[in-house]
């Protein structure tokens, strides 16, 4: 590790008043410190540091404000019952961040080195990892283009940040199925676009559809492919699975779907359990047809926030389908329980997925 | 105008060292002042002010850094030979900004009021409008979501900025045709997406294709529609026109194309000149076919930056077409000269397009 990668720590001597754990909302409280690193074309990534959590100051012409050159990640740190702190497959997040950066013409990070910086930040902030069951410390790494220049070209300077937010349980009243609206008008992503990247523009572009679905009483939208408006892509910002008869089906990674780490883990779990699982194109028509035949047993979304989110109802134009009588399916429940048990150390991790933050 | 819309001016007493006009690059120098206004759900848009040009300070969790909820505009102020300052159809920019905001779930501005703020800013900064022929003051209005919250939902707070940048001529060596590469792999925008909005994410998403085109010796890419990869959408970040025989054709506004103000003005000019002009779907195949028949007379891009940018060569897979022997066409030249003459007050404006900044 050369000089420019030496990690500096500037301690925050002015610690925050903590919000009671049962008052935590998602992504509104942040810890005392954050991680920052700079990039310039001359020096590459340099000057990694842990500093007090503090405002970012940028020129009004900084490229992030104009052309959206930015990527982010989302993962969680969990506290075990015996007070250890675990991450879940964090290397996958930094690998995906680099794939996102490639699409957005952002310089790549050293994935392994960045993980050691995150670990150091978590050692400093370990008291912030909630103790209540179901709670966790949400980790948000992100890169922003900082060059003050209105030219349409990749920035010559960037900053990489990691901020931490203690968060409550996604399921305060226990895991429960949601109602989903199949979106026909708006498109989340398309072949050749940025759907496979975790980049800002994909998310605000989806608000309008989400708002209309909420107004109609649905909790999320199901996105169809941008080309034919026929094939299923994702649910809200989750990947999606269907249990049809004895088989589990999920849309294949086609370039417009985000490669979820929960998705990957679920595929691996199912294979380990000898449950047939296939990644392929799935049309919305096929699902409604299978439902008419009575073989759609379970539908669920997957992602870091909810882990597994069962779908109780799907509405597509005038057609409505109720899944498993609106109850959480057996397999959905088992996947949720297994994954959360591994993530929180309640169950032994035979897959080597968890990474412990050691002193 | 009520209290919360009263414009405050905080003068910059520390004026900048000016760069010589012949040294100006695009979008790197900014003037002494900027305009800022805040939004909150309680107050709506409020506290408009002109302040010294200064850094923006935001919480690291500010939504602009994570979910890309932002829109922008681009227009120019020109100095006439008799030292007046003119804007070109500025009301169209604020109208388009509001249409962009609608797509991005951003609260709308009072278009007329905002134009008066811009006019006041220009009165203060009038010395910054370059005197050299072909030069201008580029105006960049933009809105960013500022709420510190990682939830996936529209922000409850925003800031609207206007910054000003004196810029050189797009054509330092005179107007000249460019080489364009027809992009087959990457997609700029798709039906149901954000292509009709001027929002950050659209622009950085295009860098990868632009970079590959540059590496191959082209100056811009021609974008095809995201659905069929068949119909022509735009050239780089310009609208595009084809003169085929006696008729001028441009892609119709289908929801994925930006509604250019130069495009609109050119359509209106052509109509006024009794040149047949049609907005319709145009496939890339049709253009290459017409070229084989020898009837593609001129191709040009249009936008605020270049006004009219003639295309001398188009490459699509292995096919290459040379347009008008690589020379600027007669109509392209006439359109360029007429529009720039109106914009700079050299020619009388019979259309009411220019707005003078009066003391
Ligand atoms: C668009 C989108 N799809 C899917 C996911 C699920 O990915 P993961 O399981 O890695 O959290 C996420 C969130 O992370 C996402 O933003
Ligand atoms: C994507 C895109 N298309 C077209 C244009 C041309 O629009 P206008 O003529 O209003 O500058 C612009 C630039 O402003 C643009 O960003």
């Amino acid at each position: 590790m050369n000089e420019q990668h030496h990690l500096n720590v500037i301690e925050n001597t002015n610690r925050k008043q903590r919000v009671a754990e049962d008052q935590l909302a998602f992504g509104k409280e942040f810890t005392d410190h954050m991680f920052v690193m700079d990039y310039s074309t001359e020096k590459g990534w340099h000057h990694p540091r842990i500093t007090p959590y503090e405002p970012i100051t940028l020129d009004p012409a900084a490229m992030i404000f104009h052309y959206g050159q930015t990527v982010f990640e989302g993962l969680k740190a969990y506290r075990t019952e015996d007070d250890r702190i675990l991450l879940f497959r964090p290397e996958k997040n930094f690998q995906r961040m680099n794939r996102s950066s490639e699409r957005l013409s952002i310089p790549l990070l050293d994935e392994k080195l960045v993980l050691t910086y995150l670990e150091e930040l978590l050692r400093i902030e370990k008291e912030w990892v909630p103790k209540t069951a179901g709670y966790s410390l949400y980790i948000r790494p992100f890169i922003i283009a900082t060059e003050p220049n209105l030219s349409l070209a990749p920035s010559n300077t960037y900053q990489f940040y990691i901020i931490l937010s203690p968060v409550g349980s996604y399921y305060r009243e226990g895991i429960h199925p949601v109602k989903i609206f199949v979106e026909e008008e708006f498109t989340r992503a398309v072949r050749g676009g940025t759907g496979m990247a975790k980049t800002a523009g994909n998310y605000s572009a989806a608000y309008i559809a989400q708002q209309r679905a909420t107004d109609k009483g649905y909790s999320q939208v199901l996105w169809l492919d941008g080309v034919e408006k026929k094939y299923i892509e994702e649910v809200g910002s989750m990947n999606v699975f269907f249990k049809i008869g004895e088989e589990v089906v999920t849309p294949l990674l086609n370039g417009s779907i985000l490669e979820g780490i929960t998705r990957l883990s679920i595929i691996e779990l199912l294979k380990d359990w000898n449950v047939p699982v296939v990644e392929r194109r799935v049309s919305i028509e096929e699902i409604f047809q299978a439902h008419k035949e009575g073989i759609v047993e379970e539908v669920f979304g997957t992602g870091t926030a909810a882990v597994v989110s069962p779908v109780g109802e799907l509405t597509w134009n005038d057609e409505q389908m109720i899944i498993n009588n609106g109850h959480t399916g057996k397999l959905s429940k088992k996947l949720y329980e297994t994954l959360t048990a591994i993530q929180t150390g309640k169950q032994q991790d035979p897959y080597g997925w968890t990474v412990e933050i050691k002193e």
Side-chain angles (χ1 to χ4, degrees), chain A:
Chain A
M1 202 189 288
N2 64 30
E3 188 52 31
Q4 77 172 21
H5 297 133
H6 177 76
L7 179 60
N8 274 309
V9 179
I10 302 165
E11 215 194 299
N12 188 341
T13 50
N14 190 6
R15 297 300 165 98
K16 286 182 190 174
Q17 189 71 26
R18 302 270 283 273
V19 169
E21 287 193 0
D22 61 357
Q23 300 292 311
L24 289 174
F26 180 80
K28 290 200 176 182
E29 302 294 326
F30 296 89
T31 68
D32 292 311
H33 297 87
M34 64 184 187
F35 173 82
V36 197
M37 181 162 63
D38 301 325
Y39 177 92
S40 69
T41 13
E42 305 78 37
K43 291 192 180 177
W45 285 109
H46 65 280
H47 193 21
R49 57 207 185 268
I50 288 170
T51 71
Y53 185 91
E54 63 193 3
I56 298 177
T57 295
L58 292 171
D59 193 284
M63 285 175 155
I64 176 64
F65 296 133
H66 303 273
Y67 306 130
Q69 209 192 359
T70 175
V71 294
F72 71 96
E73 270 301 328
L75 67 161
K76 286 177 173 178
Y78 306 88
R79 187 180 293 277
T80 67
E81 283 174 359
D82 59 350
D83 240 13
R84 294 175 302 127
I85 291 168
L86 298 181
L87 292 175
F88 185 72
R89 314 187 83 174
E91 71 287 356
K92 296 275 175 212
N93 290 91
F94 291 115
Q95 287 161 9
R96 182 170 68 189
M97 193 163 197
N98 269 346
R99 288 196 300 278
S100 298
S101 287
E102 258 183 358
R103 180 64 184 80
L104 273 296
S105 310
I106 291 173
L108 305 193
L109 295 165
D110 180 330
E111 297 155 10
K112 292 215 178 79
L113 189 57
V114 160
L115 183 50
T116 67
Y117 297 147
L118 169 60
E119 288 172 355
E120 185 57 27
L121 179 63
L122 288 171
R123 270 190 283 274
I124 291 173
E125 299 294 65
K126 64 176 183 296
E127 288 308 314
W128 282 93
V129 182
K131 295 175 173 59
T132 314
Y135 285 47
S136 57
L137 186 67
Y138 182 78
I139 301 164
R140 169 56 58 90
F142 63 105
I143 301 175
I144 55 175
T146 55
E147 187 185 339
N149 183 347
L150 300 183
S151 300
L152 271 173
S155 184
N156 288 307
T157 59
Y158 299 84
Q159 284 192 311
F160 170 61
Y161 287 88
I162 306 177
I163 56 175
L164 306 174
S165 174
V167 296
S169 171
Y170 195 87
Y171 294 113
R172 282 176 198 254
E173 287 114 44
I175 181 169
H176 60 88
V178 294
K179 286 171 66 176
I180 302 287
F181 180 78
V182 179
E183 177 59 43
E184 286 268 333
E185 181 181 350
F186 297 106
T187 308
R188 192 194 86 90
V190 70
R191 176 184 64 192
T194 56
M196 50 61 69
K198 228 171 145 67
T199 184
N202 293 343
Y203 294 82
S204 50
Y207 290 165
I208 192 169
Q210 174 65 42
Q211 188 54 52
R212 291 194 190 175
T214 305
D215 292 346
K216 289 185 201 123
Y218 298 90
S219 76
Q220 302 271 355
V221 302
L222 182 145
W223 297 104
L224 299 176
D225 77 284
V227 175
E228 299 183 61
K229 287 280 177 197
K230 186 171 164 183
Y231 297 102
I232 292 168
E233 299 224 318
E234 305 198 33
V235 167
S237 50
M238 293 185 285
N239 297 112
V240 62
F241 288 78
F242 301 88
K243 180 161 188 278
I244 305 176
E246 288 312 303
E247 195 178 68
V248 178
V249 179
T250 191
L252 55 75
L253 302 172
N254 60 353
S256 54
I257 292 175
L258 193 83
E259 197 173 338
I261 293 155
T262 320
R263 174 187 181 280
L264 174 69
S265 307
I266 279 178
I267 292 171
E268 291 177 11
L269 273 182
L270 292 173
K271 285 188 176 157
D272 194 36
W273 295 347
N274 291 314
V275 177
V277 53
V278 268
E279 300 173 64
R280 63 167 170 84
R281 298 217 291 188
V282 195
S283 74
I284 185 70
E285 199 159 345
E286 171 189 344
I287 295 299
F288 273 78
Q289 189 52 43
H291 183 255
K292 278 180 196 135
E293 294 164 21
I295 55 173
V296 177
E297 299 184 1
E298 302 184 32
V299 179
F300 55 92
T302 70
T304 296
V307 187
V308 171
S309 176
V311 174
E313 189 184 320
L314 263 182
T315 297
W316 179 37
N317 297 322
D318 301 329
E319 287 187 79
Q320 194 193 49
M321 71 186 247
I322 306 288
I323 301 131
N324 196 28
N325 287 315
H327 297 307
T328 299
K330 257 211 297 232
L331 185 66
S332 310
K333 192 147 184 279
K334 187 177 168 193
L335 285 164
Y336 175 74
E337 284 173 354
T338 307
L339 267 178
T340 52
I342 292 174
Q343 288 167 339
T344 58
K346 245 188 249 166
Q347 179 175 318
Q348 213 241 309
D349 169 15
Y351 310 107
W353 286 342
T354 49
V355 172
E356 187 180 335
I357 306 301
K358 295 231 170 82
E359 277 312 309

